[in-house]
Amino acid sequence: RNASKLLRNGFSQIGLQFFIPQNHFSNCLTSLVLPEKISYNDLHDKLKERGFIIYAGQGKLKKNIFRVANMGDIKISEYEQFLKALKTCLTLPAKKI
């Protein structure tokens, strides 16, 4: 619960929009709306280069949301590093194809 609270506060500070209302949140998974002009694949690849993995939405939501899990033996400092990496990745230009 502490990890999800830390992450969600960070997501809000970054300016990300939650996909579901707060009263339906899970303690271990957060679904977030992908910002305009940012593809899941681009965000995933940028974060993976920095050592972090996010998950795509499923079905019709595949191109609209991404998911962040907070399960396992992960230190608070690692969540803080993830939030810094996420903020950086959201401000980097998209890859040119």
Side-chain angles (χ1 to χ4, degrees):
R1 191 177 330 180
N2 291 338
S4 64
K5 185 177 179 180
L6 174 93
L7 285 170
R8 290 177 182 146
N9 286 338
F11 298 148
S12 293
Q13 289 175 2
I14 291 170
L16 291 168
Q17 178 184 347
F18 298 103
F19 180 67
I20 61 172
Q22 185 174 356
N23 61 330
H24 292 287
F25 282 174
S26 158
N27 279 331
C28 61
L29 186 69
T30 303
S31 299
L32 299 151
V33 177
L34 275 166
E36 280 188 34
K37 299 181 183 179
I38 296 178
S39 73
Y40 168 78
N41 289 334
D42 194 35
L43 182 58
H44 174 273
D45 292 349
K46 288 175 183 176
L47 284 167
K48 188 173 181 180
E49 288 172 4
R50 290 162 175 78
F52 300 101
I53 299 293
I54 58 171
Y55 304 94
Q58 297 177 331
K60 294 179 183 178
L61 299 173
K62 195 157 76 171
K63 294 183 179 181
N64 304 98
I65 70 168
F66 67 101
R67 299 174 297 150
V68 176
N70 54 283
M71 298 180 277
D73 186 21
I74 302 172
K75 296 176 179 69
I76 293 297
S77 62
E78 293 170 305
Y79 290 119
E80 292 168 340
Q81 291 171 356
F82 167 73
L83 288 168
K84 287 179 187 176
L86 177 61
K87 185 175 181 178
T88 298
C89 291
L90 289 170
T91 60
L92 291 173
K95 292 181 188 175
K96 294 187 180 182
I97 299 173

